C-alpha cells in the first residue's frame, strides 16, 4: 500500500505517478523537538507521527531542500510551512 502524505487535505501518495511530477516524500525527523514542530504545523488534532509517517515535498519551501546529491533531502531542522488550509490561506500569504 503506497504511503500517504500525512498533511490534511493532501492527496499525494507515494506512487510512480506522483514521483514523475517531481514530488518527493520525507519521513518525520527522528529529533523529538523537530518532530513535534512538524506535528504542530499539520494542525491535525490528536495526530502523532509514526516512524513511517511521511510528508510530501509540496509542504516545504525550495530552500528547505538539499538537492546537491542524487537523492533530494531535507535540510536539518527544516519545518514544513506550506499548507493549503482554506481558512489559513490569507494569513499565510501575508506573513510570508
Ligand atoms: Zn502532501
Amino acid at each position: 500500500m503506497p504511503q500517504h502524505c500525512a498533511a490534511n487535505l493532501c492527496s499525494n501518495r507515494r506512487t510512480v505517478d506522483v514521483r514523475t511530477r517531481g514530488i518527493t516524500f520525507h519521513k518525520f525527523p527522528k529529533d523529538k523537538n523537530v518532530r513535534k514542530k512538524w506535528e504542530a504545523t499539520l494542525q491535525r488534532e490528536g495526530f502523532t507521527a509514526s516512524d513511517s509517517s511521511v510528508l510530501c515535498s509540496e509542504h516545504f519551501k525550495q530552500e528547505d531542500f538539499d538537492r546537491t546529491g542524487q537523492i533530494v533531502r531535507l535540510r536539518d531542522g527544516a519545518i514544513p510551512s506550506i499548507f493549503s488550509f482554506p481558512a489559513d490561506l490569507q494569513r499565510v500569504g501575508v506573513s510570508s
Side-chain angles (χ1 to χ4, degrees), residues 9-66:
L9 305 176
C10 182
S11 56
N12 287 333
R13 283 166 183 264
R14 202 171 199 166
T15 60
V16 175
D17 188 45
V18 166
R19 199 192 192 100
T20 55
R21 283 157 54 199
I23 294 170
T24 50
F25 287 81
H26 303 274
K27 286 188 175 180
F28 279 65
K30 293 223 186 328
D31 183 297
K32 278 201 181 107
N33 291 323
V34 184
R35 184 185 285 217
K36 276 236 170 336
K37 286 184 192 167
W38 282 40
E39 289 171 351
T41 62
L42 295 183
Q43 302 182 16
R44 285 180 63 177
E45 211 156 319
F47 174 77
T48 308
S50 74
D51 283 340
S52 59
S53 297
V54 292
L55 274 187
C56 76
S57 54
E58 297 207 313
H59 310 292
F60 297 88
K61 289 181 278 198
Q62 286 303 315
E63 60 260 36
D64 288 335
F65 295 104
D66 176 357

